[in-house]
Amino acid sequence: MTQNTTSPKLNLSVNETLLAAFDGPIPRHVAIIMDGNGRWATSRGMNRLRGHHEGANAVRRTVESCRYLGVEVLTIYAFSSQNWQRPVDEVSGLMTLFDLYIKKERKLLMDNNVAIRIIGDRTRLSDKLQAAIVQLEEATAPGAKMVLQVAVSYGGREEILGATRALCARVEAGEFKASDVDEALFSSHLYTAGQPDPDLVIRTSGEFRISNFLLWQLAYAEIYVTDVLWPDFDEAHLLEAFGSFGRRERRFGLTGAQVKA
Ligand code: IPE
Ligand code: IPE
Ligand code: MG
C-alpha cells in the first residue's frame, strides 16, 4: 500500500478537495471491470455507443483520481476477447473510440506522467491502431509515476494459454526443464510481467463475476462490486471502493491472529 501523496504539479480536472480529504490506505494496484455502458445508454433511449463514449469520460476521471491519490498501477478492462462476438457496428464503434481515446488523452497522460500499456491480443486490432498504440506507449513511458494498463482484446484464459505455449516452446528448445517453471517464471510470460498483482478489483453495474479478467493475477485481490453503471462512476465512488478496501483484513491464507502478529 502506498500513502496518499499528492503532487502540486498535476494538471487535473477532478475534485481534488474531495480526494485530498481521503485518509485511508491506497491500493498499489487497482483493477476495474468497467461494466454497464450499454445499460446506461439504453435506459436513456440512446444507442449503446453513446454509453461507451460516456464511459470514456469516466475513464478520464478515474485515471486522474488514481494518479492524484498515488495509485501505482491502474488496469482497466475495456474490451474482452469475447466482446469480438458483439454486433459488428458495436465492435467497429468501440475500435473508433479507442483510436479517438489514444489521440485525445495523449496530452493528459504525458502532462501527468502516466505510462500507458495495452494488454491483450493486439494482433487482432487494425494495423493503424496497433501503430498508434506502440507510438503512445513509447511516448508515455519515460518518467512514469503511474502505469495505466488497458486490457483490449484481452482474456485471462487466452493469456494463460499464451504463457503456457511460450514456456512449452522454451522447454522444447532446451532452455530449461519443465520442473524449473515456477510462479515467477510463469508470471513473467503474462502481459502483466513486472507489475504487482492487483490489490483491489472493482466491478461496476452490480454483476458478481470476473468475466475472464486477470484470472491468474486476481488470486488475492479484494473484490468490490457497486451497482453504479460505469459512465456514472466518479471520484466519490472510487473513494467508497478505497474505503471498503481499507476496512478489509487481507489474510493470504493465514489466520487473523497471524496477520495481526
Ligand atoms: C462495458 O459495458 C464495456 C464493454 C464490455 C465494451 P457493456 O457494453 O458490457 O454494458 P452492458 O453490460 O451491456 O450494460
Ligand atoms: C466484461 O464485461 C468485459 C469488459 C468490461 C470489457 P462484459 O459485459 O463483456 O461481461 P459479461 O458478458 O457481462 O460477463
Ligand atoms: Mg456488460
Side-chain angles (χ1 to χ4, degrees), residues 98-111:
F98 295 142
D99 196 43
L100 202 70
Y101 180 86
I102 283 173
K103 293 192 180 96
K104 255 178 71 179
E105 303 301 311
R106 181 190 181 93
K107 187 172 172 352
L108 182 88
L109 298 173
M110 297 202 57
D111 284 355

Side-chain angles (χ1 to χ4, degrees), residues 59-196:
V59 169
R60 183 179 314 113
R61 286 194 292 273
T62 305
V63 169
E64 293 191 15
S65 301
C66 285
R67 174 70 183 92
Y68 182 90
L69 292 166
V71 169
E72 289 173 36
V73 186
L74 171 64
T75 304
I76 55 176
Y77 202 7
F79 190 82
S80 73
S81 306
Q82 288 66 34
N83 289 150
W84 285 110
Q85 297 159 52
R86 291 193 177 190
V88 277
D89 52 339
E90 180 164 346
V91 171
S92 66
L94 279 163
M95 292 302 140
T96 306
L97 184 59
F98 295 142
D99 196 43
L100 202 70
Y101 180 86
I102 283 173
K103 293 192 180 96
K104 255 178 71 179
E105 303 301 311
R106 181 190 181 93
K107 187 172 172 352
L108 182 88
L109 298 173
M110 297 202 57
D111 284 355
N112 294 307
N113 296 97
V114 178
I116 196 165
R117 283 191 203 149
I118 306 301
I119 59 170
D121 179 7
R122 55 176 85 187
T123 64
R124 297 184 74 177
L125 306 175
S126 74
D127 291 345
K128 186 171 151 255
L129 193 51
Q130 288 187 48
I133 285 168
V134 171
Q135 221 271 329
L136 187 65
E137 285 177 332
E138 285 172 0
T140 56
K145 298 279 190 333
M146 182 175 100
V147 174
L148 171 63
Q149 297 189 119
V150 186
V152 178
S153 189
Y154 173 88
R157 285 189 172 181
E158 289 79 353
E159 179 183 38
I160 288 170
L161 273 176
T164 306
R165 287 196 195 100
L167 284 163
C168 289
R170 294 185 68 183
V171 169
E172 277 174 2
E175 283 185 52
F176 45 74
K177 299 196 297 285
S179 57
D180 293 328
V181 179
D182 58 11
E183 286 193 13
L185 187 60
F186 194 87
S187 296
S188 73
H189 285 72
L190 299 172
Y191 294 123
T192 51
Q195 303 299 341

Side-chain angles (χ1 to χ4, degrees), residues 34-39 48 83 86 203 205 207 209:
M34 311 184 290
D35 199 14
N37 295 351
R39 277 163 283 170
R48 290 176 58 87
N83 289 150
R86 291 193 177 190
R203 183 162 188 156
S205 88
E207 310 288 1
R209 54 178 174 261

Side-chain angles (χ1 to χ4, degrees), residues 216-244:
W216 169 277
Q217 299 89 336
L218 291 178
Y220 273 101
E222 294 298 324
I223 300 172
Y224 180 84
V225 175
T226 172
D227 285 335
V228 173
L229 301 176
W230 178 251
D232 292 326
F233 194 83
D234 64 14
E235 300 92 307
H237 300 124
L238 184 73
L239 293 180
E240 271 173 41
F242 283 14
S244 170

